[in-house]
Amino acid sequence: MITFLFRGLMYVVSAGLGLIAADLLLDGFQIQWDKWWGFVVCVLIFAILQTVLSPWVSKVADRYAPVLMGGIGIVSTLISLVVVVLLPIGGLRITDLTGWLLGAVIVWLITALGSVLLPLLFLRKKVDAAKGRRGSER
């Protein structure tokens, strides 16, 4: 259960980092910082949608368009972004085609990298701490 929560937290953090990176890199991708609570809700909803949509989009693509199987992550990211932007809570706006297309790629890439690298970073600290305890017990 703790592992599940840890992975979920790492995914939410990586989704937030992906959205922030897209905000910093693209003019048409805007986090509304004056509605910070909306952004937090957007990150949570985005992470949940990604988790639910990826397997579903994968099944649909496998059945109807096997050629799209390589782009499943980007497609589910784009769908999640559409839903989050359309929610009336605020927090995230995408105003142009570049923001939509490159934003989806940036968020997908950062989220994918974060999902792999963030757990390794935290696990490395835990392993180093355990080695330190074992070394001091000798």
Side-chain angles (χ1 to χ4, degrees), residues 37-116:
W37 53 271
F39 175 67
V40 171
V41 173
C42 284
V43 170
L44 293 173
I45 292 172
F46 176 83
I48 292 168
L49 284 171
Q50 275 288 95
T51 303
V52 171
L53 286 174
S54 289
W56 180 76
V57 171
S58 179
K59 281 184 183 180
V60 170
D62 187 40
R63 185 173 197 176
Y64 298 107
V67 174
L68 296 176
M69 287 304 289
I72 294 306
I74 295 173
V75 171
S76 63
T77 299
L78 185 59
I79 293 169
S80 298
L81 286 173
V82 168
V83 171
V84 168
V85 167
L86 291 176
L87 291 174
I89 57 175
L92 183 64
R93 286 185 34 200
I94 303 176
T95 59
D96 60 14
L97 186 61
T98 304
W100 282 106
L101 298 178
L102 287 180
V105 172
I106 290 168
V107 172
W108 168 75
L109 183 63
I110 299 294
T111 303
L113 288 172
S115 295
V116 172

